[in-house]
Amino acid sequence: MHFTIQRDAFVHSVQHVNKAVSSRTTIPILTGIKIEATNYGVTLTGSDSDISIETFIPASDGEKEYVTIKEEGSIVLQARFFAEIVKKLPGEEIEVAVQDQFATTLRSGSVVFNLNGLDPEEYPRLPQLDEDNHFQMPQNLLKDMVRQTVFAVSTQETRPVLTGVNLEGEESELICTATDSHRLAMRKASVETKTGAMSLSNVVIPGKSLNELNKVLEDSTELVDIIVTESQVLFKFENLLFFSRLLDGKYPVTKNMIPDHAKTELVLRTKELLSSLERALLLSREAKNNVINLKTMNNSEIEVSSVSAEVGKVTEKISCDTMEGEELRISFNGKNIMDALKVIDSETIKIRFTGAMSPFTVQPTDHDQMLHLFSPVRTY
Amino acid sequence: MDTSPIRKIIHIDMDAFYASIEQRDRPELRGKPVVVGGSPHSRGVVATCSYEARPFGIHSAMASHEAYKRCPQAVFVRGNMQKYREVSKGIMDIFYEITDLVEPLSLDEAYLDVTENKLGYPSATYVAREIKKRIKEKTGLNASAGVSYNKFLAKIASDYDKPDGLTVVTPEKAPAFIRELPIGDFRGVGKSTKEKFLEMGVHTGSDLLSWSEEDLVRIFHKRGHTFYNNSRGIDEREVNPYRERKSMGRETTLPHNISEYEDMLPIVKDLLQQVLSRLQADRIRVKCVVLKVKFYDFKQITRRTTLDDPTDDQEVLLAALGEQLEHIASLGREVRLLGVTTSDFHGAGDAAGGRGKVYKTTRYEQLRLF
């Protein structure tokens, strides 16, 4: 293998695939990045067997020449060193050449690195996915959906299926759900399908994969193709493929957890509640429980308070835009509510309570594409 | 004679617990011999191994390098106790959905008294099946269950058909079941007791039945009563949900043998700190601290110091351990393992010396959505 490549394009690609490489893997070859040069361009692959990322740098895209191929071939180089090295090389071009025994030379300007490579034949092949179940959505919408749900996945290993975000799709509506059994975040969107009707059910993508995907997603309306199979999901970009393993196990049915009635309903400003909770959490964080108390008052006000036995107490009144229904005193994990408020982009929210010991919902007032559900904290 | 109705006891034992969790979370390990524990190149031991590793003769507490010798293709994994503790917590929660009479024995093992249970099922077999199902659904892991009318038989039953077993020993079946039982499977029969029994010509439960209670007590002292009763299917021990931890300890096998006081003290200090951080989290003070030493020839000794007042002060405890350690060092023998154990627990600020945790006045419980 022998080629010269534009440094910037190469660094950009290497950094993308490097996101999938993990230093703690049981398969030694996966600590490397695979580089494959053909007359069409250069393909890079990184994987930790849960996530795999493949990028392609075309020889040229009509406007610009990126790669000059002198000899086709492939090699695997240790990601730890390779990713750092290409970033620090001085020239505008990098020359990569493989000799005998996988010995590889990287040359840029007057710098020469000789690296010991690994046998590319040992590198596992990425799965070929059956593209039956296939839909498309704009990158920025996908980025929003991930951001607005993934924070709510469980970090506990007790129930592995809860460490992922569940995708359900019917007709042209996609529903993403994440829950750790104390709080739940749900986001809907309509998407385009190639075949007309999409049917997704119990497709659970690990939260970790989605956090990595979000770093690849750009704030553009360009479409991304999403292909779902039994055990894998593939996000297909113009010159990048992002594969993730799906989680085994049955995702809980969450539809009927969402209450269809309310005993107390508040409408208030998102930012006002958020900063009030931030203040109250200053004390409950100290008590390590994040417990916040909320009490309805007369004249459409609520009182937010928090107590720490060692430090002291805080109370604050907030006036609501509207308040309907019964009086209420309730306690909850303020950190969980804050996490949700931070991803709600609307100016006002509606909170629907169903009693002091029952779940309550937080929703934006200007659309019904998003819902957050919380279980309260019992104090005794 | 006890005239109360027959009890229904379930013993649940998770199958290859740590190894199964690793296989669950790392699909590439499934179907392979997996050994959780010390590295094969260290002097550590096997904590658990997967069922695929067992045909090679690997078992818990075996030296890791021995396990490696028997099965070099096994995947050796450093355990993640934090994760195992979380999974265990989830499983224990399932037990409490069934009954409050739960006696956890370790992270992966517990007795449940389901004579009365929250499911309202009269059949303990049905309850055991339900527990196994809930564990499988929630954690994806297999458990083996033993169902019987006392703890002794329930525990033996859970081991009878591992993995993923469910064995029921009814009062009718018990005598035949016990007669067949190898003597090594009886409660309290370890390696040396087993040898003694074999010398006496006792190989199975059936052989044990021919011995009188007096003779067994003469030979085995207090344990003789247990052997006598157990061989007749009698075990009156109750499932004790309040069983508290009575001691807390840590030990470590050294990478290589040492004999100098100056080399041993930092290791003892480190072990003590680990123990103290657990104790302090539970606001427990201790009156007794024990130093354990295993020499190069695997002979081991323990040295105990009892303090006048309960304490969680590292300086006080380290002073006591340091004194013991000086004695050990003066022997000039090579040491391969050091351990620190504390016992005789007291609640913090509790002059009367009461036991257990001290709780704050207001308690919180995060409710669940499902």
Side-chain angles (χ1 to χ4, degrees):
Chain A
M1 186 180 78
H2 190 183
F3 63 86
T4 1
I5 191 162
Q6 292 296 314
R7 181 181 162 279
D8 288 352
F10 199 42
V11 169
H12 187 68
S13 265
V14 169
Q15 270 161 0
H16 272 324
V17 296
N18 198 30
K19 291 187 177 78
V21 182
S22 153
S23 52
R24 51 185 301 264
T25 166
T26 41
I27 310 168
I29 191 91
L30 291 185
T31 57
I33 289 176
K34 185 181 172 189
I35 306 163
E36 186 173 11
T38 68
N39 286 327
Y40 302 104
V42 171
T43 305
L44 300 173
T45 314
S47 174
D48 67 356
S49 80
D50 283 345
I51 303 173
S52 305
I53 301 177
E54 184 183 294
T55 59
F56 178 70
I57 306 157
S60 76
D61 65 0
E63 289 176 25
K64 207 176 160 190
E65 295 273 331
Y66 294 101
V67 192
T68 316
I69 306 287
K70 297 187 177 123
E71 192 190 340
E72 297 189 328
S74 57
I75 188 71
V76 174
L77 296 175
Q78 286 295 327
R80 240 177 81 210
F81 303 105
F82 177 61
E84 282 300 308
I85 290 169
V86 293
K87 229 177 7 185
K88 294 199 158 63
L89 285 177
E92 281 189 9
E93 284 190 332
I94 298 173
E95 182 186 348
V96 182
V98 178
Q99 297 95 31
D100 288 347
Q101 297 299 320
F102 315 121
T104 305
T105 308
L106 301 180
R107 195 173 278 128
S108 181
S110 59
V111 180
V112 182
F113 274 94
N114 291 306
L115 297 176
N116 299 322
L118 300 165
D119 184 356
E121 288 303 314
E122 272 180 39
Y123 200 88
R125 304 206 180 279
L126 294 187
Q128 291 294 318
L129 301 190
D130 193 352
E131 306 209 351
D132 283 354
N133 222 343
H134 181 184
F135 61 97
Q136 292 186 311
M137 61 197 298
Q139 287 200 35
N140 57 357
L141 177 59
L142 180 59
K143 199 173 168 70
D144 272 347
M145 291 187 85
V146 171
R147 173 178 65 95
Q148 289 165 343
T149 51
V150 75
F151 70 89
V153 300
S154 170
T155 53
Q156 309 271 307
E157 300 285 349
T158 328
R159 257 182 106 168
V161 78
L162 297 185
T163 61
V165 174
N166 182 41
L167 268 56
E168 301 273 330
E170 269 174 55
E171 304 287 317
S172 62
E173 185 175 62
L174 177 68
I175 305 173
C176 295
T177 312
T179 177
D180 62 2
S181 83
H182 300 137
R183 44 113 172 246
L184 176 148
M186 190 274 285
R187 173 75 154 88
K188 292 190 224 173
S190 41
V191 297
E192 292 169 38
T193 59
K194 282 269 165 75
T195 48
M198 160 182 56
S199 107
L200 295 177
S201 154
N202 210 69
V203 175
V204 189
I205 308 177
K208 189 172 160 279
S209 302
L210 290 172
N211 281 322
E212 292 304 328
L213 175 70
N214 233 20
K215 294 177 193 159
V216 175
L217 286 167
E218 281 169 16
D219 206 0
S220 86
T221 52
E222 224 166 277
L223 291 177
V224 49
D225 283 289
I226 303 165
I227 293 140
V228 178
T229 69
E230 196 71 0
S231 62
Q232 295 272 337
V233 60
L234 165 61
F235 299 88
K236 230 174 164 176
F237 302 83
E238 198 188 351
N239 283 321
L240 187 146
L241 303 178
F242 186 107
F243 293 82
S244 169
R245 173 176 74 92
L246 296 177
L247 290 173
D248 280 340
K250 181 128 188 51
Y251 201 81
V253 178
T254 53
K255 242 181 214 165
N256 44 26
M257 290 175 201
I258 298 160
D260 53 4
H261 65 288
K263 286 185 180 162
T264 314
E265 192 174 308
L266 313 175
V267 172
L268 66 172
R269 278 159 215 288
T270 317
K271 280 217 179 103
E272 221 170 303
L273 181 60
L274 184 59
S275 40
S276 158
L277 291 177
E278 264 167 3
R279 282 185 285 271
L281 275 172
L282 292 175
L283 295 192
S284 54
R285 241 199 305 269
E286 181 61 33
K288 293 197 179 76
N289 54 35
N290 293 334
V291 173
I292 303 278
N293 311 302
L294 184 149
K295 185 165 82 172
T296 56
M297 317 279 283
N298 292 329
N299 54 37
S300 288
E301 278 187 334
I302 54 168
E303 184 189 274
V304 173
S305 67
S306 164
V307 186
S308 155
E310 290 86 27
V311 186
K313 184 178 166 172
V314 50
T315 55
E316 172 167 353
K317 288 196 182 72
I318 306 175
S319 50
C320 301
D321 289 3
T322 65
M323 179 189 292
E324 282 167 32
E326 301 172 10
E327 285 182 7
L328 177 82
R329 280 165 176 269
I330 193 166
S331 303
F332 48 75
N333 180 326
K335 168 82 172 44
N336 284 354
I337 310 288
M338 271 180 50
D339 287 348
L341 294 179
K342 281 179 187 164
V343 301
I344 298 179
D345 303 325
S346 314
E347 267 180 34
T348 53
I349 49 159
K350 178 164 67 184
I351 312 183
R352 288 157 59 94
F353 295 100
T354 59
M357 295 295 163
S358 329
F360 59 96
T361 60
V362 176
Q363 283 170 279
T365 49
D366 57 351
H367 64 86
D368 61 355
Q369 301 288 292
M370 194 202 286
L371 180 136
H372 299 274
L373 179 68
F374 305 91
S375 57
V377 166
R378 185 159 74 102
T379 59
Y380 54 101
Chain B
M1 190 66 203
D2 192 355
T3 53
S4 61
I6 290 175
R7 292 182 296 158
K8 293 167 186 169
I9 310 294
I10 299 178
H11 179 256
I12 299 281
D13 192 2
M14 299 301 296
D15 301 327
F17 188 52
Y18 302 164
S20 300
I21 294 174
E22 294 302 332
Q23 288 181 321
R24 178 192 77 179
D25 296 346
R26 294 163 59 178
E28 74 271 17
L29 299 184
R30 291 178 198 164
K32 290 190 187 155
V34 175
V35 176
V36 179
S39 145
H41 310 297
S42 74
R43 305 207 288 182
V45 295
V46 176
T48 334
C49 63
S50 69
Y51 280 89
E52 293 85 354
R54 300 198 182 180
F56 297 93
I58 300 176
H59 55 77
S60 309
M62 172 184 273
S64 292
H65 63 81
E66 175 64 28
Y68 180 75
K69 232 188 282 167
R70 295 190 185 201
C71 180
Q73 70 271 37
V75 185
F76 286 78
V77 180
R78 286 290 276 153
N80 177 350
M81 286 311 292
Q82 171 66 24
K83 183 199 272 189
Y84 306 152
R85 241 177 250 127
E86 279 172 17
V87 178
S88 172
K89 168 83 171 51
I91 294 166
M92 295 298 161
D93 285 346
I94 294 176
F95 298 158
Y96 291 107
E97 289 165 19
I98 309 288
T99 173
D100 290 329
L101 289 176
V102 177
E103 179 178 333
L105 299 176
S106 62
L107 287 185
D108 63 341
E109 207 187 330
Y111 288 115
L112 286 77
D113 185 330
V114 300
T115 316
E116 309 270 340
N117 62 72
K118 297 178 189 175
L119 302 177
Y121 296 154
S123 157
T125 311
Y126 200 105
V127 174
R129 199 173 294 140
E130 178 67 23
I131 293 171
K132 277 168 54 95
K133 191 175 129 227
R134 289 189 187 187
I135 293 175
K136 182 79 185 177
E137 275 172 7
K138 186 168 181 182
T139 68
L141 302 173
N142 285 327
S144 290
V147 181
S148 195
Y149 56 95
N150 63 37
K151 284 161 78 165
F152 163 63
L153 287 168
K155 179 152 179 158
I156 288 168
S158 72
D159 197 40
Y160 192 74
D161 187 25
K162 261 182 165 302
D164 201 18
L166 199 178
T167 303
V168 183
V169 180
T170 59
E172 295 75 38
K173 282 200 281 181
F177 188 78
I178 297 167
R179 275 200 296 274
E180 299 282 307
L181 205 61
I183 193 67
D185 287 359
F186 274 80
R187 183 160 73 91
V189 180
K191 209 169 125 199
S192 63
T193 313
K194 183 178 166 186
E195 272 166 26
K196 207 163 192 176
F197 269 124
L198 293 181
E199 273 171 36
M200 291 157 59
V202 176
H203 297 269
T204 63
S206 169
D207 300 331
L208 185 57
L209 273 177
S210 59
W211 286 73
S212 72
E213 186 162 11
E214 291 106 60
D215 284 344
L216 287 173
V217 170
R218 191 169 42 76
I219 300 165
F220 296 105
H221 311 286
K222 250 170 87 180
R223 286 189 301 157
H225 293 293
T226 311
F227 296 145
Y228 181 84
N229 284 331
N230 285 175
S231 66
R232 281 155 186 77
I234 300 168
D235 176 13
E236 304 282 7
R237 289 174 305 149
E238 299 206 350
V239 172
N240 178 7
Y242 304 110
R243 193 158 100 161
E244 276 182 23
R245 185 176 265 289
K246 295 208 172 75
S247 66
M248 168 89 69
R250 277 277 186 284
E251 60 181 51
T252 185
T253 301
L254 307 167
H256 51 88
N257 295 348
I258 54 177
S259 59
E260 298 295 325
Y261 174 82
E262 290 73 23
D263 296 333
M264 292 192 277
L265 189 67
I267 294 162
V268 168
K269 185 174 174 182
D270 186 50
L271 292 169
L272 176 64
Q273 271 168 349
Q274 290 179 38
V275 172
L276 277 179
S277 69
R278 291 280 297 274
L279 292 178
Q280 285 160 351
D282 286 348
R283 302 182 176 212
I284 292 169
R285 292 159 180 256
V286 300
K287 266 183 84 167
C288 184
V289 59
V290 182
L291 178 70
K292 174 176 167 182
V293 179
K294 195 186 271 181
F295 294 107
Y296 68 96
D297 55 0
F298 289 85
K299 294 222 168 73
Q300 78 177 44
I301 56 169
T302 54
R303 288 287 174 266
R304 168 184 307 264
T305 308
T306 303
L307 304 159
D308 294 335
D309 296 305
T311 181
D312 59 359
D313 186 334
Q314 184 181 322
E315 292 303 313
V316 174
L317 292 166
L318 191 60
L321 288 167
E323 212 170 297
Q324 302 287 14
L325 200 58
E326 271 182 57
H327 284 287
I328 304 290
S330 69
L331 301 174
R333 302 174 68 189
E334 296 272 300
V335 169
R336 64 171 281 126
L337 173 146
L338 286 166
V340 171
T341 302
T342 57
S343 59
D344 196 353
F345 289 175
H346 296 259
D350 189 346
R355 294 195 160 178
K357 290 189 181 186
V358 178
Y359 289 106
K360 288 187 187 151
T361 41
T362 318
R363 291 216 270 155
Y364 302 99
E365 183 194 358
Q366 169 71 60
L367 302 177
R368 303 174 71 88
L369 291 167
F370 54 93

